[in-house]
Amino acid sequence: MSAVTDGTAVPSLQGVTAAAGFRATGVTAGLKPSGRPDVALVVNDGPSDAVAAVFTSNRAKANPVIWSQQVVADGVARAVVLNSGGANCFTGSFGFQTTHQTAEAVADVIGVGAADVVVCSTGLIGVGGEAFREGVLRGVGLAAAGLSTDGGPAAAEAIITTDTHAKQSVVSVDGWTIGGMAKGAGMLAPGLATMLVVITTDADLASDALDQALRAATRVTFDRVDSDGCMSTNDTVVLMASGASGTTPEVGDFQEALTAVCADLARQLQQDAEGASHDIAIEVVGAASEDDAVTVGRSVARNNLFKAAVFGNDPNWGRVLAAIGTTDAEFDPYAVDVSMNGVRVCHAGAPDRPSDQVDLTPRDTHVHIDLGVGPHAATILTNDLTHDYVHENSAYSS
């Protein structure tokens, strides 16, 4: 599909190269036993080089996150290089040196400084060594030779690990465009960002405006995907602006479009979560504050008993109330209403309509929780807990 022009994000065939001023590609460097593409490169040809990024809040940060936090501190970046097939986390000083050498290799081939190259990695924690380093550096050379203005799809393919497909989205408004790609299927829990995301725009905005818009967008999108409650060591969302459109939109308008792209990519992450058979939206309303609504929704999203019940098509609303009762949110447990797929099964903390009226067989599942104490609301996206999820993660290292 091509980008639309009304501000609505759609899955895209171009992703990060939909915006003018960007080239990208994805190549096979031999990092994955499967032989699938594993190194991606996205280059901003300008004229602007503004950047903003958010990273995992996990205290156990991978080497590329430590490096990239320094890169974006001055608001300038010219490229993002990403590898799958190894997280380069807990790989010691050798791992950080590998990250630095990767940035230097990109800098040499595109003619910029290493301090202007963001580095991202994804894959198994603890994977490193000479073979990993040689593969990544080999991939940089191959990618530099294959950069193209229509290379977005190849880049999106090269960053996936347990994902079943690449994830891209684009929005185009009034002569400027935002395009993005994402990867993520496991360890999907928030910490400013969720998994690896690269977003590009040809709008002409300074780094402080990009940072403002990005933090506002991720707060209500990626930060509210909580598929399995497990926070990655490598989570990165980076936004680069080329300014190639020559248009400077209002920050509010840009933020709205950016949020649409982030929301679309977040939804794609949820729909591809490892082993999931239900995509669950937990909508909390009637909260005393937005933070309370998020806290309540996240508590339900991380409750394994609730998630297992949904997998079994069992509308066990008692597990919902038990989950929210563990929070410090303001509410009276005996004044809460719970609906599942449009059927109110609990009213004022007591049974309402019979549970057998609830149909949980559709993949899309909606849980509506009314706390009844205020005007605030929030929605958390999660998934059920399935046999396939357990099997996939029990065999991840093998």
Side-chain angles (χ1 to χ4, degrees):
M1 298 176 65
S2 60
V4 296
T5 57
D6 62 355
T8 302
V10 295
S12 168
L13 296 178
Q14 284 302 317
V16 293
T17 51
F22 291 92
R23 291 175 294 151
T25 193
V27 299
T28 300
L31 298 174
K32 292 179 180 176
S34 65
R36 297 179 64 182
D38 47 27
V39 173
L41 180 60
V42 182
V43 174
N44 180 0
D45 291 321
S48 177
D49 53 12
V51 70
V54 290
F55 301 93
T56 181
S57 60
N58 195 327
R59 291 172 58 196
K61 292 177 170 59
N63 290 306
V65 171
I66 297 170
W67 168 268
S68 297
Q69 285 178 315
Q70 299 172 11
V71 169
V72 302
D74 64 355
V76 174
R78 278 293 185 181
V80 182
V81 58
L82 313 93
N83 76 269
S84 54
N88 194 9
C89 180
F90 295 123
T91 50
S93 59
F94 181 90
F96 189 80
Q97 293 166 8
T98 298
T99 298
H100 192 175
Q101 289 183 21
T102 302
E104 288 180 327
V106 172
D108 287 345
V109 295
I110 67 172
V112 302
D116 292 334
V117 179
V118 173
V119 181
C120 301
S121 297
T122 182
L124 189 64
I125 292 172
V127 171
E130 288 289 350
F132 175 79
R133 175 185 285 178
E134 291 172 0
V136 173
L137 296 180
R138 179 169 59 250
V140 168
L142 294 171
L147 287 167
S148 168
T149 55
D150 59 4
E157 183 71 24
I159 64 174
I160 67 175
T161 52
T162 57
D163 310 60
T164 63
H165 59 272
K167 303 166 180 69
Q168 301 179 96
S169 187
V170 168
V171 63
S172 185
V173 184
D174 297 332
W176 50 272
T177 295
I178 302 174
M181 67 179 184
K183 69 82 51 187
M187 294 189 79
L188 283 173
L192 293 180
T194 301
M195 306 313 293
L196 300 188
V197 181
V198 178
I199 304 171
T200 59
T201 182
D202 51 22
D204 189 8
L205 289 170
S207 61
D208 57 348
L210 295 180
D211 185 74
Q212 174 186 331
L214 182 62
R215 291 182 184 277
T218 57
R219 185 183 69 83
V220 297
T221 57
F222 296 118
D223 197 41
R224 294 186 183 176
V225 177
D226 206 326
S227 287
D228 57 14
C230 300
M231 185 189 299
S232 173
T233 55
N234 293 59
D235 294 347
T236 301
V237 175
V238 59
L239 168 63
M240 295 191 295
S242 70
S245 71
T247 302
T248 302
E250 294 294 328
V251 174
D253 294 338
F254 181 80
Q255 180 179 312
E256 182 178 357
L258 179 62
T259 301
V261 169
C262 291
D264 183 43
L265 290 173
R267 179 69 170 165
Q268 291 183 55
L269 294 176
Q270 179 204 21
Q271 292 172 339
D272 198 29
E274 290 173 345
S277 65
H278 289 79
D279 302 324
I280 310 167
I282 302 171
E283 181 185 10
V284 181
V285 303
S289 67
E290 185 179 359
D291 285 346
D292 273 5
V294 170
T295 296
V296 166
R298 204 176 304 289
S299 179
V300 177
R302 293 185 174 183
N303 186 279
N304 286 339
L305 289 176
F306 161 75
K307 292 157 75 76
V310 173
F311 170 58
N313 298 327
D314 176 11
N316 192 330
W317 56 268
R319 293 179 177 178
V320 174
L321 291 183
I324 68 178
T326 66
T327 73
D328 59 2
E330 180 184 340
F331 67 92
D332 177 356
Y334 297 97
V336 174
D337 291 351
V338 177
S339 299
M340 303 182 77
N341 280 358
V343 177
R344 193 174 69 178
V345 287
C346 169
H347 175 55
D352 194 9
R353 293 170 62 184
S355 295
D356 61 12
Q357 294 184 10
V358 180
D359 181 8
L360 289 183
T361 56
R363 185 176 179 99
D364 284 336
T365 303
H366 183 252
V367 177
H368 185 273
I369 303 168
D370 189 347
L371 300 180
V373 293
H376 298 281
T379 299
I380 302 295
L381 304 180
T382 191
N383 307 92
D384 56 350
L385 180 59
T386 70
H387 303 306
D388 288 343
Y389 174 83
V390 175
H391 173 74
E392 185 161 343
N393 283 281
S394 66
Y396 186 74
S397 298
S398 60

